[in-house]
Structure formats: structure tokens, C-alpha cells
Amino acid sequence: MSSDVAPQVRPAIRNIPAYVPGRPPAPRPGVTTYKLSSNENPNQPLPGVLEAAVEAAGRMNRYPDMGCTALYEALSARFGVPTTHLAAGTGSVAVLYHLLQAFCEAGDEVVYAWRSFEAYPIAVAVPGAVSVQVPLTSDARHDLDAMAAAVTDRTKVVIVCSPNNPTGPSVRRAELESFLDRVPPHVLVVLDEAYREFVRDEDPFDGVEIYRSRSNVVAMRTFAKAYGLAGFRVGYAIAPERVAAAVRACALPFGVSSVAQAAAVASLEREAELLERVDGIVAERTRVVGALRGQGWDVPDAQGNFVWLPLGDRATAFAAAAEEAGTMVRPFAGDGVRVSIGEPAGNDVLLEVAARFTT
């Protein structure tokens, strides 16, 4: 059959870059391997969470609650927001996909920092929108002045990733408020707070608090990182009612599984214990950052559960050396390497590789 009469994929889809996940280590005889490439929580499920998931799995012959009733009620109680201001999806990245589909048409612009989350260019391209990537500052932070200047009459959405994945720094409250004052009220500002529980910055912002006072702000969060539910895929947005309703309208029916909903509710019930585990990861992050800087590495401020090594053209070589030692990291060719904070033993292997790489 002639290709000119075959079904044609939209140009925007043909040109979408492939999402590259963090690779798991290959089993190797006599070598203990560690996966530090996907920003996962290294801890086992909290007591009670696994039991809730298993109990929900016993009803796998039934469809999940499409309205996420129990989850929305739990989030509503936790944050003091109406359930109509909530929209869940299969991870916060799915929530972003739905939001962009709801608010962007072909040719509309979406402004975000770069380098930032690798899924942003993909999510923007799906509805045919245009990415406006604003370079980070020399210390790997958002350049909010340049981002505000990049907003035009074609801009529909601005994304602020804080802490920024993969580089680490978080946006501070005062600078964010100043930035929001410069964004037109008809432009949606999505605050991607996937790693907010790990932030220990001197002036952190709370996206939910900011959403309460600004009609164009969306707080986007996930259970994948601090809560340790990466394998169940559940994230959510807290947004003005009209925005949340539009996101839900674009969502895949029955997308968030019964198991994911049950595990998320159980995790919220055990948040105090969860945050103690987060403190442990933050302490390990402090140790790793201190050791790397002691070796002479220029490590940006790390506010997530990962660190960034700005290796430039040496990124892939470093990743290969780490893999040879049994530790998988996430390279971004020509730019740098992101390393998740994992088990202390795995972090120690990473530090050994880093020490050899500087000599």
C-alpha cells in the first residue's frame, strides 16, 4: 500500500521525543547492584499500606471507583479543600497531560524552565502546543524573571517545577509570589511539587496555600516519591473548581486503580510515620552532598531526593562507570547526571565512583 494513502500520524505526535526512564541494574553474579536512576523511595511500604493494597486487590474483578470518592475525601480532610477542587490521575504527570489537553490547542504556548522534568516537552506536544523552554540560571535554578518575560499573548500555561527535577534547587516563596504577580490572570500556573516533602529550604512555598489566594494557580502533587507508591501511579491536582473539573473531564475513565486509591488513603492516614522516613532520606542526602562537595564536585542545592552532577559531555561516561560498579544513575547526555538518594550502601558505591572520576 502506498504510504501517501495510509493513516497519517499528526506531525506533533511524530516529533514527540521519547521518554527515557531510569534503567534498572542488570543482575550480576557476585555484585550487589543498586538502582539510583528513578528517584524512587528506597523504603519498603509502611505497615498498613501493603495490607490495604492487598485487601483492595481482592476486588480486582470490579472496576475502581471512578470518582475516587474515598481518596478525594481523605485529601479534602488533609488539606481543607472542597472535593470539587481535586483531580486525580495515574501519577501527577498524567494530571499534567489532562490539564494541557483541557487548556491548550495547537499553537498555544507553555512556558517552563529547562532543563526540567523530561516529560514536559512530551505532554506539551500531545495537544499540539508549543514548548517555550527558558534556560536555568548558572546555579541550576529557575530564572523566574526570564520566564515572566517569556509569557506572551499565546501563553496558556506556565509550569514551575520545585524542587526542579533533575537539578535539585527549589523556588523560594518570595520569588514565586513576585513572579506570580507578573503573570496575567488568564494564564494557568502549575506548581509541580512532586518532591515538596523533601524541601528544607530557608523560604519554602506551599502550593496549596498559594492556590487559595490566586485563581490561576494549580498545586500538583504525587504519592510516588515521599509516599513510596511509585508502582501504583497516583497523583493529584488541587485547583480552582473550574480547572479541576476540566482536568477530570479529560481523564481516562477508571484510570486510578482500586489498589492505588486504597494505598494512597492508607498512606495519608500514616503521614506522620512517613515524614519520619523522609527525614531519614534528607539526612542521607545531606551526607551524600557533603561528601561529593568534599571531593570537589559542584553540586547544586539539593532539595529533592536526588543530587545533580553537572558533567556536560562526560555524563554518559560517568553513568557507564557507575553501572560497571553496580550502581545505575540517570544520565542526560551532554548535560549532567541525576543520582537518586537510595540505600546508604548504594550511595557509598556512588561516592566511590565519583571519587575515582575526579582523579
Side-chain angles (χ1 to χ4, degrees):
M1 180 182 293
S2 173
S3 61
D4 59 352
V5 296
Q8 297 296 303
V9 177
R10 287 193 294 124
I13 303 301
R14 289 200 304 267
N15 298 327
I16 286 179
Y19 183 86
V20 181
R23 289 197 297 124
R28 293 165 55 188
V31 177
T32 302
T33 57
Y34 302 93
K35 185 184 179 188
L36 305 181
S37 55
S38 293
N39 291 351
E40 297 158 332
N41 190 320
N43 296 303
Q44 295 296 311
L46 284 169
V49 175
L50 181 59
E51 289 78 1
V54 170
E55 193 275 333
R59 301 187 300 277
M60 68 176 68
N61 57 308
R62 304 296 183 183
Y63 284 108
D65 174 12
M66 183 171 162
C68 298
T69 305
L71 176 58
Y72 285 167
E73 289 176 352
L75 290 169
S76 173
R78 168 64 178 82
F79 294 107
V81 301
T83 57
T84 54
H85 288 217
L86 294 164
T90 52
S92 57
V93 66
V95 175
L96 178 64
Y97 271 59
H98 303 327
L99 183 145
L100 295 177
Q101 290 164 356
F103 287 92
C104 293
E105 296 179 323
D108 290 338
E109 295 178 346
V110 179
V111 175
Y112 53 90
W114 196 253
R115 174 171 293 276
S116 194
F117 184 30
E118 190 176 8
Y120 292 162
I122 304 171
V124 171
V126 169
V130 177
S131 286
V132 178
Q133 298 179 343
V134 179
L136 298 170
T137 64
S138 59
D139 54 354
R141 299 177 57 82
H142 278 54
D143 188 339
L144 293 176
D145 287 338
M147 289 178 66
V151 174
T152 71
D153 56 3
R154 296 174 59 188
T155 306
K156 289 294 182 68
V157 177
V158 176
I159 307 171
V160 177
C161 183
S162 181
N164 187 51
N165 174 23
T167 62
S170 60
V171 172
R172 298 189 172 108
R173 179 189 173 93
E175 62 180 346
L176 178 63
E177 293 280 10
S178 177
F179 169 73
L180 292 172
D181 288 341
R182 299 172 60 185
V183 176
H186 66 275
V187 175
L188 270 180
V189 179
V190 177
L191 305 178
D192 186 348
E193 298 182 278
Y195 302 92
R196 74 172 312 274
E197 293 85 358
F198 302 99
V199 174
R200 299 296 184 271
D201 194 78
E202 61 190 31
D203 184 27
F205 74 80
D206 182 335
V208 177
E209 178 185 352
I210 293 173
Y211 124 93
R212 298 184 200 278
S213 60
R214 294 182 183 265
S215 62
N216 65 332
V217 168
V218 176
M220 193 170 70
R221 298 183 178 179
T222 182
F223 285 93
K225 309 303 180 185
Y227 290 82
L229 302 185
F232 284 163
R233 310 308 301 129
V234 54
Y236 60 96
I238 300 177
E241 184 171 0
R242 183 178 66 89
V243 176
V247 174
R248 293 195 303 271
C250 292
L252 179 71
F254 305 109
V256 183
S257 72
S258 299
V259 175
Q261 293 183 44
V265 171
S267 294
L268 284 171
E269 293 170 351
R270 294 158 177 80
E271 195 170 52
E273 184 179 352
L274 176 143
L275 293 177
E276 290 180 4
R277 290 184 166 191
V278 169
D279 286 340
I281 294 172
V282 169
E284 181 66 2
R285 179 186 74 195
T286 300
R287 181 182 78 89
V288 171
V289 170
L292 288 169
R293 289 176 175 165
Q295 294 175 3
W297 288 92
D298 180 17
V299 181
D301 185 28
Q303 293 293 329
N305 64 339
F306 54 89
V307 297
W308 174 251
L309 302 177
L311 281 150
D313 294 337
R314 299 188 299 156
T316 53
F318 183 93
E323 182 174 4
E324 178 63 26
T327 303
M328 302 300 295
V329 299
R330 177 65 174 89
F332 296 84
D335 205 347
V337 169
R338 188 194 68 195
V339 184
S340 307
I341 299 299
E343 302 90 336
N347 299 331
D348 286 341
V349 174
L350 179 280
L351 292 173
E352 293 171 5
V353 174
R356 293 196 304 269
F357 211 79
T358 58
T359 58

